[in-house]
Amino acid sequence: INAEYMGLRSLRELMAASALSSSLEVLRAIPADKLAQSKQEAVDAIVQFIKSPNIFQAGDMLSLPVVAQLSQDSNFKSVYELLKIFVEDKLDSYEAFYSKSQSLLESLGLDHNQCLHKMRLLSLASLAEQQPEQQLPFDLIASTLRVPPEEVEAWVIRSISAKLLDARIDQAKRVVVVSHFIQRTFSAEQWRQLSARLELWRENLRKLHTIVRRQISSIQQQSE
């Protein structure tokens, strides 16, 4: 039963990620002269990202012209602010937003408790990124996530399960030692570095492919 559940969960996560990816591709393809008529499509994609419990990175959504324009529209500015919180900020920003915009979340069909859950996980990832030694005291985690100290371990385990962190819990020292974490946002320089690494990887594959072809050709010639 557990294996079946995990399989269904993985399938749901894959379908959600695929659906969001498709929505973003549609937004990227919107021409400049159609942006003003496509604001609702942008809002729908934002809600889709926030609702997805296991999708924690929104890629370049904030910088897409069809999304960025919402920040200048009084009718949609708050939706853009909400997306920005889920992409960059922590729980305290979300709770401040919710205190003044509860009706907006309800109108978008967003569940506050689900949003809290996701923001706690994202906040823990941000904590790991901001701590140079990557050692997170229990008390710091508890205060950031606004949970009792006895719930810290459970939230760390949830974050590991969600693949936001690789970490171990040192109960004696009451710290979480993080070995890896996801970066919620990429700067332009980080995107350039990633692009350079991918190009190097492609070049290495091309070289490997050439070597394999030569070896196959040599073997064939020897067998003739």
Side-chain angles (χ1 to χ4, degrees):
I1 295 175
N2 187 53
E4 291 177 358
Y5 167 75
M6 293 303 294
L8 288 171
R9 177 183 170 186
S10 298
L11 179 59
R12 286 196 298 268
E13 292 174 5
L14 181 61
M15 291 174 65
S18 177
L20 181 60
S21 177
S22 297
S23 296
L24 293 180
E25 287 301 317
V26 170
L27 295 184
R28 291 188 186 98
I30 295 174
D33 61 343
K34 300 292 184 183
L35 293 179
Q37 293 89 1
S38 304
K39 293 177 181 178
Q40 187 57 51
E41 286 86 343
V43 172
D44 292 343
I46 291 170
V47 171
Q48 189 177 7
F49 165 64
I50 294 174
K51 277 187 172 182
S52 300
N54 298 297
I55 299 177
F56 300 100
Q57 293 169 303
D60 59 347
M61 187 184 287
L62 276 175
S63 62
L64 293 178
V66 69
V67 174
Q69 69 175 338
L70 301 181
S71 66
Q72 305 300 319
D73 188 319
S74 59
N75 293 322
F76 297 105
K77 185 177 181 179
S78 293
V79 181
Y80 182 84
E81 291 174 356
L82 182 62
L83 171 64
K84 200 167 185 293
I85 290 171
F86 274 84
V87 171
E88 299 177 347
D89 292 336
K90 295 201 287 290
L91 180 64
D92 56 349
S93 297
Y94 169 76
E95 291 191 324
F97 180 92
Y98 181 75
S99 68
K100 63 180 182 180
S101 304
Q102 180 176 348
S103 60
L104 172 65
L105 268 73
E106 293 172 352
S107 70
L108 294 173
L110 294 170
D111 181 86
H112 176 53
N113 289 327
Q114 291 177 356
C115 288
L116 280 175
H117 184 95
K118 186 167 184 172
M119 280 306 306
R120 285 192 170 106
L121 294 175
L122 289 169
S123 298
L124 188 48
S126 289
L127 268 186
E129 187 174 357
Q130 292 165 1
Q131 295 296 312
E133 297 181 357
Q134 294 181 16
Q135 290 195 7
L136 309 179
F138 276 28
D139 290 344
L140 176 60
I141 296 174
S143 62
T144 302
L145 273 56
R146 303 195 181 189
V147 297
E150 57 268 22
E151 293 185 14
V152 164
E153 291 186 33
W155 281 102
V156 172
I157 292 170
R158 291 185 186 109
S159 295
I160 294 171
S161 177
K163 298 181 175 58
L164 289 168
L165 301 175
D166 283 332
R168 63 179 177 84
I169 299 171
D170 189 329
Q171 293 177 326
K173 295 182 178 180
R174 293 179 58 79
V175 298
V176 175
V177 182
V178 180
S179 57
H180 177 74
F181 55 86
I182 69 159
Q183 287 185 299
R184 293 175 60 187
T185 59
F186 266 29
S187 66
E189 178 59 27
Q190 287 171 319
W191 280 116
R192 284 192 290 270
Q193 291 174 358
L194 178 59
S195 178
R197 286 197 294 269
L198 287 173
E199 184 55 38
L200 178 62
W201 178 71
R202 293 190 190 98
E203 181 61 26
N204 289 337
L205 280 181
R206 285 193 289 267
K207 290 178 180 178
L208 179 60
H209 181 64
T210 300
I211 292 171
V212 171
R213 286 181 61 187
R214 288 175 180 171
Q215 290 179 337
I216 292 175
S217 176
S218 176
I219 293 171
Q220 289 174 339
Q221 290 175 1
Q222 292 175 5
S223 62
E224 291 178 355

